[in-house]
Amino acid sequence: MPKPTPDDANAPKLTINDIAALAGVSKKTVSRVINQSPLLNQATREKVEAVIRETGYTPNPQARALALGRNFLIGLVYDNPNQQMILNMQRGALEALHGTEFELVIRPVDRGSAKVMDDIRSFIVRQRLYGVIILPPLSENDAIARICDEEGCRYVRMGSAVLDDPEHMVVSNDRDAVAEAVRHLIQQGHKRIGLIAGPHGFRSAKERREGFELALSEAGISLPRSLVADGQYTFESGVSACESLLDLSPRPTAIFASNDEMAAGVLYAARLRGIEVPDQLSIIGFDDTPITSRVWPPLTTVRWPIVAMGRAAALKLIGTAIGEGHDVSEPSTFSSTLIRRASVAPPPRD
Amino acid sequence: MPKPTPDDANAPKLTINDIAALAGVSKKTVSRVINQSPLLNQATREKVEAVIRETGYTPNPQARALALGRNFLIGLVYDNPNQQMILNMQRGALEALHGTEFELVIRPVDRGSAKVMDDIRSFIVRQRLYGVIILPPLSENDAIARICDEEGCRYVRMGSAVLDDPEHMVVSNDRDAVAEAVRHLIQQGHKRIGLIAGPHGFRSAKERREGFELALSEAGISLPRSLVADGQYTFESGVSACESLLDLSPRPTAIFASNDEMAAGVLYAARLRGIEVPDQLSIIGFDDTPITSRVWPPLTTVRWPIVAMGRAAALKLIGTAIGEGHDVSEPSTFSSTLIRRASVAPPPRD
DNA sequence: TTGTACGCGTTATCAG
DNA sequence: CTGATAACGCGTACAA
């Protein structure tokens, strides 16, 4: 009795030659079937496809990579403090890659190092990457895009401003989202609103700050320099930035923190001083990380569709390769939404 | 004027033949140098190494993969709700892989699917993985280890119990760690201690529960069934499990939650009822995720060295390949430590 | 100790 | 439309 399953564990690996022999055609014809070559007799194609189906044959990616000079790997390059973002981008990209022949290779780099650019280049060149997704703040560096071009590697940059052609960008409109959030504060009656800005060198920090300033100027509210505190996108920096803001007299009745980690720091600092949130101080953050619903009170925040952006980024890369229905190009800009929880209330009466 | 840099962007890619020609030796000799073959004339080796250094040549991984029938890729396979763990394992593995020729390919799977095993097998086979790291609860499935053996792929399983040979395992001793945490509660004077268990099918849940029971029985404290609530390792499940515990009369004076997410849920549920933590209720969690220090009060918890475990797992896989000093085999078991924050206090007087 | 010839599985060229 | 034949870059018998 022969082995029942053709795709047995210890079955010898099938090659394109086996398929060619079984189908009674040449290697190249099988190759054409695999690569969806348009010029093929319908009959031969179906014959080959049947054999492929029956045998469970899958082409060897290593051999293809060698012959094509290009691997079926997508690289994810980042150097980002925001773990939530990395994870969500991974998830989105992975969703897009699922069921395709592509795999995701992750590659953190050190943007402080003098050799970052060389690192990235050699990563791309050595692995013959099919494409790379670049996360902020690395994505804000045009030199990386240039490297990709030079090496003939597709790329998509993620960011909070349009830095490149649509085919190379997925962008979130942080500025508008923050403006909307701050307008919400203003509608509640707040006039002294503090900002905890993100670190220099992050475009997102700049965009969010500008959104903040925009909403204020729209409402005719002036923004004294003292109401702006510098942060580093970390919890600790949020705590100390908040403390400097609370030292003011009169102190702000609301604070917009440029991300949730810092917003959590604001909450923490407020509690240390016995300041009630939201009755005496309103808080809004940015990111909608899980922490916002774990703390008390749950934080009002801005949610951006990171997973969808990751999916779009990967799809932009492989879209042409997988065809079917993906001819409709992926959107490039994604809009965020204000998530209202319990950290915002009207300001206390003076 | 000639191009200044030899490793110019548009320089043609160097092959082993170029190096051989430049060094005045044969292909095979260069190959030997690359693969650290011991039988080589010292002079020839140095000559070749010099050429390699000057030209900046790096061997083509695709060609090596094809010739060797094995890729220089490490796979990370998981299906885990604990994002913190995934990220930290990635970080640890990446640290170990940094500077080597290996890359990390991530592959989430759906353990509920009927085809998980096939998915994993085809992932390994198709990519000709050098090795895989398997995260819990997937790692608890012996069938996966068997697949790896069959396909000739190295593997390391991460888990909270010894399920395999040391070379195939990195394990954390959850049981002891939880026992220690609960002893701490007992030392503070607690006698009615509730447990929020993890989900069935997770070995970690079982181990943590056993550690909990161990500490209690050591102290001669009985554990009525009512003091054990089921959880799913999620915040929401922590909230509802805690509510059922707080419905008890007399209610527990302390609760051990099998992970931090649920511990945060306990804190949340306590606050909803106006129960003061830690004065009226002590809480201990497990994982030491960032959330523990963001909530109020900061949570006492158990920290396990996930990053170090990730590093060890990767090193076990590639150790023999990179030689130098890594002959000392990586440790297989890692111990956790109790991190004391502010969510534990002596029980209130009756 | 070193070199020659060939194979790995696929795609590309260019005939037919 | 299809099929020989030559790459792709590297590793390994085997011979020198």
Side-chain angles (χ1 to χ4, degrees), chain B residues 14 31 52 70 78 86 108 144 153 173 175 190 230 291 295:
Chain B
L14 290 162
S31 173
I52 291 181
R70 162 165 299 189
Y78 59 85
I86 294 172
I144 300 179
C153 177
N173 201 334
R175 192 187 316 202
H190 293 277
D230 287 332
I291 200 174
V295 293

Side-chain angles (χ1 to χ4, degrees), chain B residues 105-126:
Chain B
V105 182
I106 59 179
R107 168 55 72 116
V109 298
D110 175 9
R111 72 175 180 282
S113 156
K115 333 197 310 323
V116 219
M117 292 305 152
D118 290 341
D119 283 353
I120 295 176
R121 185 192 296 271
S122 75
F123 176 51
I124 292 172
V125 173
R126 290 198 26 159

Side-chain angles (χ1 to χ4, degrees), chain B residues 292-303:
Chain B
T292 53
S293 50
R294 308 300 191 250
V295 293
W296 188 270
L299 294 170
T300 291
T301 188
V302 176
R303 173 189 298 168

Side-chain angles (χ1 to χ4, degrees), chain A residues 83-84 87 90-91 290 294, chain B residues 76 78-90 111 135-137 158 172 174 199 202 204 208 232-235 258-262 286-291 301-302 304 306:
Chain A
Q83 304 209 322
Q84 196 60 30
L87 226 28
Q90 285 183 4
R91 185 185 310 180
R294 308 305 189 247
Chain B
L76 184 66
Y78 59 85
D79 175 12
N80 192 295
N82 184 344
Q83 304 208 324
Q84 195 59 30
M85 177 169 107
I86 294 172
L87 224 30
N88 283 323
M89 281 297 291
Q90 285 183 5
R111 72 175 180 282
L135 266 35
M158 185 203 195
S172 60
D174 290 17
F202 281 67
S204 60
R208 292 172 197 181
Q232 299 298 323
Y233 277 164
T234 64
F235 176 78
S258 295
N259 75 351
D260 284 341
E261 276 292 299
M262 298 196 295
F286 196 109
D287 279 345
D288 193 34
T289 59
I291 200 174
T301 188
V302 176
W304 49 316
I306 310 185

Side-chain angles (χ1 to χ4, degrees), chain B residues 162-231:
Chain B
V162 178
L163 305 165
D164 211 320
D165 302 329
E167 55 172 332
H168 292 306
M169 285 285 324
V170 291
V171 353
S172 60
N173 201 334
D174 290 17
R175 192 187 316 202
D176 291 348
V178 172
E180 185 195 340
V182 176
R183 276 184 215 116
H184 178 230
L185 251 16
I186 295 172
Q187 279 162 17
Q188 297 283 315
H190 293 277
K191 290 193 165 54
R192 282 195 311 284
I193 307 175
L195 166 70
I196 301 183
H200 302 291
F202 281 67
R203 182 63 182 252
S204 60
K206 179 166 178 277
E207 295 290 324
R208 292 172 197 181
R209 179 179 184 141
E210 289 179 2
F212 181 87
E213 291 167 343
L214 175 64
L216 254 45
S217 71
E218 275 174 5
I221 299 176
S222 68
L223 176 65
R225 180 66 187 83
S226 60
L227 276 177
V228 178
D230 287 332

Side-chain angles (χ1 to χ4, degrees), chain B residues 16 27-28 31 57 59-60 64:
Chain B
I16 198 171
K27 228 165 99 162
K28 177 58 194 170
S31 173
Y57 163 76
N60 179 325
R64 302 187 73 187

Side-chain angles (χ1 to χ4, degrees), chain B:
Chain B
M1 220 168 162
K3 296 267 173 80
T5 53
D7 41 20
D8 195 348
N10 29 23
K13 304 218 168 43
L14 290 162
T15 78
I16 198 171
N17 290 310
D18 302 325
I19 305 301
L22 286 172
V25 297
S26 81
K27 228 165 99 162
K28 177 58 194 170
T29 302
V30 178
S31 173
R32 279 194 242 271
V33 172
I34 294 170
N35 296 305
Q36 326 243 24
S37 165
L39 13 95
L40 258 184
N41 189 331
Q42 189 61 21
T44 12
R45 152 165 296 145
E46 282 168 6
K47 188 170 54 183
V48 174
E49 281 175 345
V51 175
I52 291 181
R53 220 174 310 116
E54 286 164 19
T55 56
Y57 163 76
T58 52
N60 179 325
Q62 285 74 38
R64 302 187 73 187
L66 181 57
L68 289 167
R70 162 165 299 189
N71 226 322
F72 286 72
L73 299 176
I74 301 297
L76 184 66
V77 177
Y78 59 85
D79 175 12
N80 192 295
N82 184 344
Q83 304 208 324
Q84 195 59 30
M85 177 169 107
I86 294 172
L87 224 30
N88 283 323
M89 281 297 291
Q90 285 183 5
R91 183 185 310 181
L94 251 6
E95 280 178 15
L97 265 34
H98 184 86
T100 74
E101 58 198 331
F102 292 93
E103 301 288 344
L104 188 67
V105 182
I106 59 179
R107 168 55 72 116
V109 298
D110 175 9
R111 72 175 180 282
S113 156
K115 333 197 310 323
V116 219
M117 292 305 152
D118 290 341
D119 283 353
I120 295 176
R121 185 192 296 271
S122 75
F123 176 51
I124 292 172
V125 173
R126 290 198 26 159
Q127 298 301 325
R128 304 289 193 279
L129 293 184
Y130 189 89
V132 283
I133 300 173
I134 307 161
L135 266 35
L138 241 30
S139 60
E140 292 151 19
N141 190 331
D142 291 327
I144 300 179
R146 224 173 301 127
I147 288 176
C148 293
D149 279 336
E150 288 169 6
E151 304 300 350
C153 177
R154 297 153 204 256
Y155 69 90
V156 170
R157 305 157 77 172
M158 185 203 195
S160 25
V162 178
L163 305 165
D164 211 320
D165 302 329
E167 55 172 332
H168 292 306
M169 285 285 324
V170 291
V171 353
S172 60
N173 201 334
D174 290 17
R175 192 187 316 202
D176 291 348
V178 172
E180 185 195 340
V182 176
R183 276 184 215 116
H184 178 230
L185 251 16
I186 295 172
Q187 279 162 17
Q188 297 283 315
H190 293 277
K191 290 193 165 54
R192 282 195 311 284
I193 307 175
L195 166 70
I196 301 183
H200 302 291
F202 281 67
R203 182 63 182 252
S204 60
K206 179 166 178 277
E207 295 290 324
R208 292 172 197 181
R209 179 179 184 141
E210 289 179 2
F212 181 87
E213 291 167 343
L214 175 64
L216 254 45
S217 71
E218 275 174 5
I221 299 176
S222 68
L223 176 65
R225 180 66 187 83
S226 60
L227 276 177
V228 178
D230 287 332
Q232 299 298 323
Y233 277 164
T234 64
F235 176 78
E236 291 74 17
S237 73
V239 173
S240 57
C242 178
E243 280 170 347
S244 74
L245 252 23
L246 294 180
D247 282 338
L248 262 31
S249 174
R251 67 174 191 231
T253 61
I255 291 179
F256 170 75
S258 295
N259 75 351
D260 284 341
E261 276 292 299
M262 298 196 295
V266 170
L267 189 58
Y268 193 95
R271 187 180 327 265
L272 287 181
R273 300 206 178 195
I275 295 174
E276 294 288 333
V277 175
D279 294 341
Q280 300 176 56
L281 180 69
S282 290
I283 304 173
I284 296 186
F286 196 109
D287 279 345
D288 193 34
T289 59
I291 200 174
T292 53
S293 50
R294 308 300 191 250
V295 293
W296 188 270
L299 294 170
T300 291
T301 188
V302 176
R303 173 189 298 168
W304 49 316
I306 310 185
V307 175
M309 291 173 75
R311 202 183 306 125
L315 249 21
K316 275 173 190 286
L317 253 22
I318 67 173
T320 58
I322 54 178
E324 13 168 335
H326 289 287
D327 23 32
V328 179
S329 65
E330 286 300 310
S332 295
T333 70
F334 291 76
S335 53
S336 311
T337 48
L338 184 66
I339 305 294
R340 302 186 189 194
R341 295 211 175 85
S343 63
V344 172
R349 300 199 192 153
D350 288 307

